[in-house]
Every structure is written in C-alpha cells, then in structure tokens.
C-alpha cells in the first residue's frame, strides 16, 4: 500500500479526483543530469481510496485526510547503475 498525506489534503484537486474516480497514479520523477541527459522515476498505479481520519499519523504536520493506493502496477526508469 502507498499512503499519501499532507496539509489540508481535503482541499486539494488530487483528493477530489480520488473521490470522483478511484483509479489513480502516483509519479515521482527526477532530472539527474542535463549533460548527459539522465532522468529517473517511479510510477505507481492502482485503486485509490480517499480517507478522512488517521492521516496525521503518517508524518508530523499532516492533516487527518490521506489517500491510500493499492498498487496494480509499478514501473520505474533510470534507476539502474549510475543513477
């Protein structure tokens, strides 16, 4: 399970999107270098649920709302040797 939280998450578009459609993706990407061009990242796709209690336990400063994603697929790029 992937758990996503934050401050005032219920006001975010991502929270409203999960309420409207439980299919979600979480992507983290990074530009390692521009010369040579090297990128890396990870994408997690799955069924998401928007929750309104318990999010403050994820990290200090987080609000009570959070999103849980049950992964169906995980893909990554650029994480091999030299990344």
């Amino acid at each position: 399970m992937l758990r996503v939280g934050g401050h005032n998450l219920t006001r975010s578009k991502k929270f409203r999107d999960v309420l409207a459609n439980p299919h979600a993706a979480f992507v983290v990407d990074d530009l390692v270098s521009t010369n040579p061009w090297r990128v890396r990242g990870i994408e997690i796709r799955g069924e998401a649920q928007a929750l309104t209690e318990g999010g403050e336990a994820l990290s200090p400063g987080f609000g009570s709302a959070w999103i849980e994603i049950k992964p169906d697929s995980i893909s990554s790029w650029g994480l091999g040797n030299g990344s």
Side-chain angles (χ1 to χ4, degrees):
M1 296 290 174
L2 171 66
R3 293 179 174 100
V4 179
H7 183 69
N8 288 328
L9 189 63
T10 55
R11 294 183 184 175
S12 71
K13 183 176 182 320
K14 73 181 95 185
F15 195 85
R16 291 189 308 271
D17 287 349
V18 169
L19 288 172
N21 181 350
H23 302 286
F26 181 80
V27 179
V28 177
D29 60 357
D30 181 36
L31 179 58
V32 179
S33 171
T34 59
N35 189 15
W37 188 262
R38 288 187 20 226
V39 295
R40 64 184 172 192
I42 186 167
E43 177 183 78
I44 301 169
R45 290 186 171 274
E47 188 173 328
Q49 184 176 8
L51 304 159
T52 57
E53 295 180 5
E56 58 277 322
L58 297 177
S59 185
F62 279 17
S64 60
W66 56 294
I67 297 169
E68 182 175 75
I69 302 174
K70 186 186 324 178
D72 291 330
S73 68
I74 300 173
S75 59
S76 63
W77 54 95
L79 298 178
N81 293 336
S83 294

